[in-house]
Amino acid sequence: DSGVTQTPKHLITATGQRVTLRCSPRSGDLSVYWYQQSLDQGLQFLIQYYNGEERAKGNILERFSAQQFPDLHSELNLSSLELGDSALYFCASSVGAGNYNEQFFGPGTRLTVL
Amino acid sequence: DAKTTQPNSMESNEEEPVHLPCNHSTISGTDYIHWYRQLPSQGPEYVIHGLTSNVNNRMASLAIAEDRKSSTLILHRATLRDAAVYYCILIDGQTGANNLFFGTGTRLTVIP
């Protein structure tokens, strides 16, 4: 158990809909990261927040957005969903934001878009 | 980001040492070498990282070539639980960012 929690575990929805994925980092961790893992694209970094502020952006679509709240939990919002958005979404956390920090990953949310 | 090259798959017998190679010929002087692994149906898990010197921790050892163009993750005694996809990732120490760019990794199969 990494100490990172993600809800829900599974999500099934239809194209065009909007969903919110939630992540609670390990106690004391200030950085939260979101990753997407699909069969054809592998594991891709989406976005990083550090202490409430956006720190780095990866291959995140404009239809996706994220935020980190004052209590440090984070939410990833996916809208206008397409079939290709079906994937495993992982959240990770680390103490700081720099390269010396190991990341602790949650169990993931499996999103299925029908 | 500098690229890494790993074999797609490797096999090892249980309780034998495993050497997982990674080539990173375009590594820059400020790139850290990180290894993560992903067990089946789980999120990735940090294994080890280093910059120039060899590193040891409770999970594994990391041997870094003198010219830093390659590195090897060493599992001293493979167990069935070590069957996973292992990712070698370079992180630029200058940017201060910690985004992990995963490649395809090496799928390790451990044979009982």
Side-chain angles (χ1 to χ4, degrees), chain B residues 56-71:
Chain B
N56 300 297
N57 66 20
R58 63 173 180 82
M59 286 182 71
S61 296
L62 176 60
I64 301 173
E66 203 169 322
D67 64 3
R68 299 208 329 125
K69 293 183 186 299
S70 66
S71 60

Side-chain angles (χ1 to χ4, degrees), chain A residues 43-62:
Chain A
L43 259 165
Q44 288 199 92
F45 165 72
L46 295 179
I47 197 163
Q48 175 194 2
Y49 280 83
Y50 176 72
N51 205 19
E53 301 288 325
E54 183 183 302
R55 179 75 179 221
K57 233 172 181 174
N59 299 323
I60 188 165
L61 300 173
E62 282 192 18

Side-chain angles (χ1 to χ4, degrees), chain B:
Chain B
D1 300 290
K3 296 263 193 256
T4 63
T5 306
Q6 300 177 252
N8 287 335
S9 62
M10 290 184 65
E11 280 187 357
S12 172
N13 293 319
E14 196 177 8
E15 298 191 7
E16 298 214 343
V18 182
H19 290 235
L20 297 164
C22 180
N23 286 321
H24 28 79
S25 57
T26 60
I27 191 170
S28 76
T30 55
D31 283 339
Y32 284 76
I33 302 160
H34 286 242
W35 284 81
Y36 280 75
R37 70 180 186 181
Q38 188 172 19
L39 299 162
S41 304
Q42 293 188 30
E45 173 185 43
Y46 167 84
V47 178
I48 201 166
H49 80 276
L51 183 61
T52 56
S53 305
N54 294 344
V55 184
N56 300 297
N57 66 20
R58 63 173 180 82
M59 286 182 71
S61 296
L62 176 60
I64 301 173
E66 203 169 322
D67 64 3
R68 299 208 329 125
K69 293 183 186 299
S70 66
S71 60
T72 303
L73 179 70
I74 303 164
L75 307 179
H76 296 287
R77 285 180 74 230
T79 68
L80 296 178
R81 197 199 172 271
D82 292 321
V85 179
Y86 287 78
Y87 297 96
C88 169
I89 302 164
L90 300 183
I91 299 179
D92 186 352
Q94 280 193 318
T95 66
N98 195 19
N99 328 316
L100 301 178
F101 289 90
F102 291 83
T104 53
T106 297
R107 182 173 298 276
L108 175 66
T109 301
V110 180
I111 302 165

Side-chain angles (χ1 to χ4, degrees), chain A residues 27-48:
Chain A
S27 176
D29 284 358
L30 298 179
S31 256
V32 169
Y33 312 77
W34 286 97
Y35 293 86
Q36 179 194 57
Q37 186 170 33
S38 60
L39 281 173
D40 55 345
Q41 295 286 333
L43 259 165
Q44 288 199 92
F45 165 72
L46 295 179
I47 197 163
Q48 175 194 2

Side-chain angles (χ1 to χ4, degrees), chain A residues 53-84:
Chain A
E53 301 288 325
E54 183 183 302
R55 179 75 179 221
K57 233 172 181 174
N59 299 323
I60 188 165
L61 300 173
E62 282 192 18
R63 302 183 284 109
F64 296 0
S65 65
Q67 54 185 325
Q68 185 179 28
F69 294 87
D71 67 352
L72 300 176
H73 91 272
S74 178
E75 292 181 356
L76 179 67
N77 300 296
L78 315 176
S79 61
S80 304
L81 284 168
E82 302 176 359
L83 295 177

